[in-house]
């Protein structure tokens, strides 16, 4: 079997990363890549690292209907994705959406956090949150897969085993995350200007970052009780990677061993989660689909610390999307993943 | 008046930074710089940025007694400083010590956290913790000034106004700090190897970092009640700077306005503290003695977030030491500080 | 004496760097800073590193005529500067221009290399090329000082002693330069987008970079014969600094000692040039006005290699401008230079 | 067919990079990895990015004889490799050596440039210089493959087509190379200390770098006449990659078209060489086995400029070694190369 894949949105980092990952997939073929602004050019004109490797001509999305496809990936900004998702679903095509348009519980909460009216409210009914470690079986049957945000992937995977087993106090969750710059996209703007980032470090989006609600909704569902998180993102002077440091208070009566067991239990058989005995670093996972997790209980303070690392463009975006594709089409979940971490 | 200054330990970053700062001080003169391993060489042989600027010959510390001095700075590792401090104090020379040897409350707690027996326990009686914003008047009379650690400087300044006014719950303090590499010193070792740091990020010293107790002791004294902090340092891929993100729960009955007022009250007249309206970045203070602080209350979660940034080699080491020297010798506290932040 | 200084163009890196340098100048005061896009804001709103330090209100350039000034610095792009230069010169104000508008020999060569018609051709008659090591006495009398380009500063200083003494073959000059990103300006664009620069390196502007002609004209004048250079710039993943590696063939009959002597002769008394015995690195001069130069003759190949390093924002722009100001107004040439290299 | 592979020297960057590349090779299996200092540990204890992926136990090299092998890679420093090469060759095992021990023409030139007596002079007779683009057919029959140096790979590939066709003046070759830090190895030392490299840049090894003679010997053999090169390496503040800028004068009577044709001719069918129309950047090849080459003739100066980029750990070391292995064992030359460039 060879899946015929369409990628909508070729200029961004998640789009080019998806091409990198799919290129050696034994059961998928990139049938078409779209771009409005670069239509007619070669993909490698925009991303010269693919010179001689991926020379496909970029087509406008309107011409995609003429291509015989099995699935479509939308590597588009939020607010733009929703219309395309509706269109492709209507055409009977499974959609894996990289944007935030279908990750939340519904149009109202979407409006509150994205300051935007949703144009395809019905999509929320069909959408499955594409975090395989939480929703594997639903993903396998979904026609609209809402690929998770990068920060939420790192935070939810760090907390899910604890929340699901109700081992932590739901009012105690502090999530201090640090991300590389590619999370801000390919577009040049002051926040991504080299000299504003290099040798520099700062917090941003305090209290109001949209990924806050994504984390809260997913974890609340896992714990079957409403919880709140204090989420603070920071911008690291590097390209790829998110490290999340989470601070938590165990529920009364919970033992340190129970905390650790929860992670073993939850992730023992997960192909892309590695429980580590030492604090992991970003380069341990760079370029790969792994999420490395470290936990430690501080007997002095009674607090649990959980650290997770991912590559925001892989497990935090394109890799997770390919994992979802594998699940959706009944392939081996690890099919095509030949990217080992690049270190150094 | 011109103070005659001796600097013990010329090869490290804090030593060379002190030379950079003192060079244009209108009332201080570097009379001697010592080094055992590089004795006889020019200072600029070790630090070529000083070529043609500081060409002094390095002398062994044993020859320092022949130099007419007003004060001595010890830019030495902990465990080494204590003996020299005793010696110079006996000789009647005021000492400003960069190490951790005299920052804690006494030899017992020192042994617990530094895994080392202290050889000059009497020094603790004479030592004043050299954070001007907390101990200005005591510093002015001290003969042994224990220059604070870099992380503690960033953390204590971020929390002092709140703790002093008892505005926060003392069991709620989470301090997530991120530091540049120079904090690890000038010596080449795996943790400072370029390819282990560049493009990388990780946490270290969880639960046991020595700066934890330094922060706790100072803040407990300010609040006049025992408190505990959860302190986690991380290593940033850059040279200079510490950003601390602190998460706190206000005490029952405390209003957001009270939290903010406490900072205005405490720091209104401080020459090196700048209260900022937006989250500061490391480059805003790089190369300078400023500590920039930002606070924000999250009404949704009921938590207060405080962010501080310093240059670890300046306000976190050599700059603070020069500020202490100014205080100790009755000079204007800002004398000699002609280093504006280098950005970009 | 206190010079009243106006700075036109506050948002760019050279403008803010000039403010950093002038701030502690004993005989100059920044009387006004202009910005059209940010008029009415505080200077520190644009450059937060100056919070609490430089809080001046930015005024539109039209209001500058109401300010009593002794000199004006134009921190503007080429093509924009020329009109302002004309206007201020007409008003009797000495002008130090950061742009390329008056560096070349005349309007024709300007048109050829800048693809633009010059609107103030008469300015070329009045302009002096502001490289003190070449034109000190002329600068002292000039009303229009064309502050040199950053690459030309590094290249001309590396070659001038050889060219002036006609010690090298004028058809042999290869100049391979590597620059930090700030040379490309403060504006966010793809070439300065973090992920295009970080961990990356490339050549650009081969054969056609405008600084080529600037180098050739200045060196030809020094050598009193027409010469050509092969100039290739490269983009380094760092903020500040230019390192130039120049490859040269000595003229027939020239001895290695003569080559070295030429540098000693030319630069012995220069306050900002340091002849080094080992290859210098960028951090040796970062943040300072120094140009460090290293030369070595390869007896095996018969070639001379000269390496120079500068900080492109200081000796390559704002520092050189302040040096020119000092010369122009009869101040000590080093007045106000309290910025030692920042390393690390 | 599955080749059983032994890797001697597991702690360095080239060793771990080889493991990354071989891991997905369809016809090779890593049968044993040796380390003296880490014997008994898991490979992933030293290189945590391989956690859960490569968990082999490291054995001392002495135990390698008990393993059934088809070939051995020596990822050892020069001076150490020579003895092991002799030993394995004697045992009838093909050897691919990463060091400089067998790259030169013989023991005399080795002594001159490596300041060391060679202990296995007979090895030079058996060794083939492992640059497939030059010696493909010899490599296929060699038992001792001297894997090229990283700088020489970038320089020789940039110049070979010109030299082979005698299109350039052999006394005109200037090679200005810039390399990432991993070329200096995994060991912590001052030259690789983070704060000495980050934000910094410098030249080193002028006139005497050992790769000079390696480049000269190979190119002289290609051109069938003795030539000399001026080779200057520089250290970039990044992990991976070498960019070489070469400056050349065409031979009398050579047309620009001939220069370009030579590259087309030489590399048209090369699987890992990409001729580019724009100057390439390091990230275009990072993590991959590609060498991208750009050439441009400057009609104004009469000079040819050639730029090449490689990843020093892949095409400059482990990737080239795997390519050599494929050639030696009659596999498809591109077998196992599933690593696309990582950008960003």
């Amino acid at each position: 079997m060879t899946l015929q894949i369409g990628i909508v949105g070729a200029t961004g980092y998640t789009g080019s990363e998806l091409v990198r990952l799919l290129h050696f997939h034994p059961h998928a073929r990139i049938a078409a890549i779209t771009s409005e602004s670069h239509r007619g050019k070669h993909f490698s004109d925009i991303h010269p690292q693919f010179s001689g490797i991926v020379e496909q001509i970029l087509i406008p999305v309107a011409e995609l209907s003429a291509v015989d496809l099995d699935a479509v990936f939308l590597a588009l900004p939020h607010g733009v994705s929703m219309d395309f998702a509706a269109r492709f679903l209507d055409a009977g095509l499974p959609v894996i959406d990289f944007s935030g348009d279908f990750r939340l519980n519904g149009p109202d909460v979407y409006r509150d956090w994205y300051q935007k009216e949703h144009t395809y409210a019905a999509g929320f009914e069909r959408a499955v949150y594409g975090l395989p470690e939480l929703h594997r079986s639903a993903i396998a049957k979904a026609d609209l897969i809402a690929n998770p945000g990068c920060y939420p992937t790192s935070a939810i995977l760090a907390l899910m085993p604890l929340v699901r087993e109700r081992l932590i106090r739901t009012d105690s969750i502090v999530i201090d995350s640090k991300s590389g710059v590619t999370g801000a996209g390919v577009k040049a703007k002051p926040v991504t200007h080299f000299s504003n980032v290099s040798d520099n470090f700062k917090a941003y989006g305090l209290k109001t970052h949209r990924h806050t609600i994504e984390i809260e909704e997913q974890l609340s569902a896992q714990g079957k009780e409403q919880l709140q998180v204090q989420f603070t993102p920071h911008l690291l002077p590097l390209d790829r990677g998110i490290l999340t440091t989470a601070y938590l208070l165990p529920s009364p009566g919970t033992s340190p061993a129970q905390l650790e067991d929860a992670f073993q239990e939850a992730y023992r058989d997960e192909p892309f989660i590695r429980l580590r005995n030492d604090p992991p670093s970003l380069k341990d996972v760079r370029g790969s689909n792994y999420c490395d997790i470290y936990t430690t209980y501080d007997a002095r303070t009674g607090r649990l610390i959980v650290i997770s690392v991912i590559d925001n463009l892989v497990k935090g975006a394109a890799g997770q999307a390919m994992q979802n594709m594998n699940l959706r089409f009944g392939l081996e979940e690890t099919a095509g993943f030949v990217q080992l971490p690049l270190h150094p």
Side-chain angles (χ1 to χ4, degrees), chain A:
Chain A
M1 178 179 88
T2 297
L3 298 171
Q4 303 297 321
I5 301 298
I7 301 175
V8 178
T11 47
Y13 289 142
T14 54
S16 70
E17 189 70 0
L18 184 62
V19 172
R20 184 178 77 93
L21 299 175
L22 285 173
H23 186 72
F24 285 110
H25 197 294
H27 305 300
R29 181 185 154 268
I30 301 173
I33 311 175
T34 81
S35 168
E36 307 310 301
S37 47
H38 297 288
R39 56 183 294 178
K41 292 189 194 163
H42 295 262
F43 181 70
S44 69
D45 293 336
I46 318 302
H47 302 288
Q49 70 269 31
F50 290 99
S51 296
I53 304 169
V54 179
E55 293 287 2
Q56 269 175 274
I57 302 290
L58 302 172
I59 62 172
V61 68
E63 295 179 12
L64 211 56
S65 55
V67 184
D68 190 29
L69 297 177
D70 293 299
V72 147
F73 290 80
L74 303 181
L76 297 170
H78 72 86
V80 176
S81 256
M82 47 177 98
D83 292 330
F84 287 99
R87 194 187 309 178
F88 289 114
L89 288 169
D90 285 353
L93 265 182
V95 169
I96 300 178
D97 178 26
F98 284 49
S99 86
D101 278 355
F102 300 98
R103 294 178 193 152
L104 302 185
N105 283 347
D108 292 344
V109 66
Y110 182 87
R111 186 191 315 108
D112 287 352
W113 286 82
Y114 282 76
Q115 276 85 48
K116 197 181 177 76
E117 206 62 39
H118 206 286
T119 61
Y120 181 46
F124 288 100
E125 305 300 315
R126 308 179 66 171
V128 170
Y129 190 74
L131 194 52
E133 291 78 4
L134 272 68
H135 303 294
R136 187 168 276 115
S137 58
I139 291 165
K141 292 173 292 199
D143 279 337
L144 174 52
I145 298 171
N147 213 52
C150 48
Y151 284 120
T153 296
S154 83
I156 296 167
L157 291 175
L159 296 174
M160 180 270 275
L162 303 166
V163 169
R164 196 159 69 183
E165 303 297 323
R166 299 195 168 202
L167 300 176
I168 53 169
R169 284 177 40 188
T170 56
D171 62 347
S172 76
I173 305 172
V174 170
I175 299 170
D176 190 282
S177 292
K178 301 88 175 172
S179 174
V181 181
T182 51
V186 77
K187 202 169 158 355
K189 42 195 171 187
V191 79
T192 60
H193 187 55
F194 180 81
S195 296
N196 289 343
V197 177
S198 178
D199 274 329
N200 212 354
F201 185 67
K202 65 170 182 181
Y204 68 99
L206 285 86
K207 305 186 294 185
T208 61
H209 196 285
R210 286 158 181 159
H211 286 171
T212 308
I213 186 63
E214 190 176 329
I215 298 167
E216 290 185 352
E217 285 191 351
Q218 286 297 318
L219 289 180
S220 295
Q222 290 294 309
K224 299 192 176 59
E225 61 181 326
Q226 194 60 32
L227 58 70
Q228 267 192 335
V229 303
Q230 189 75 50
F231 168 63
T232 308
H234 301 71
L235 190 64
L236 286 166
L238 52 82
D239 286 328
R240 286 168 179 255
I242 291 177
L243 184 145
T244 287
T245 314
Y247 299 92
L248 313 155
L249 291 172
S251 306
T254 304
S255 74
Q258 280 177 290
L259 298 168
E260 193 153 323
D261 287 354
F263 282 89
Q264 294 290 344
E265 194 67 36
Y267 293 141
R268 183 180 297 124
D269 300 325
E270 284 298 337
F272 292 114
I273 294 194
R274 308 190 293 190
L275 299 178
R276 298 280 303 274
N277 295 320
D278 294 296
S281 73
L282 290 183
K283 273 181 174 169
D284 292 349
V285 299
R286 181 169 61 166
S288 82
N289 202 46
Y290 293 102
C291 174
D292 284 11
I293 297 176
Y294 168 78
T295 68
T296 189
Y297 176 74
D298 189 344
R300 203 180 72 98
T301 61
R303 229 178 246 102
L304 180 72
I305 304 173
V306 184
I307 293 175
S308 71
V309 292
I310 61 168
D311 182 320
N312 57 301
L313 293 181
V314 189
K315 185 60 177 170
Q320 187 132 274
M322 188 163 95
Q323 191 180 354
N324 283 323
M325 179 195 81
N326 286 344
L327 284 170
R328 170 62 178 72
F329 289 95
L331 302 169
E332 198 171 355
E333 193 165 339
T334 58
F337 283 100
V338 293
Q339 302 78 25
L340 297 187
L342 193 76
H343 187 336

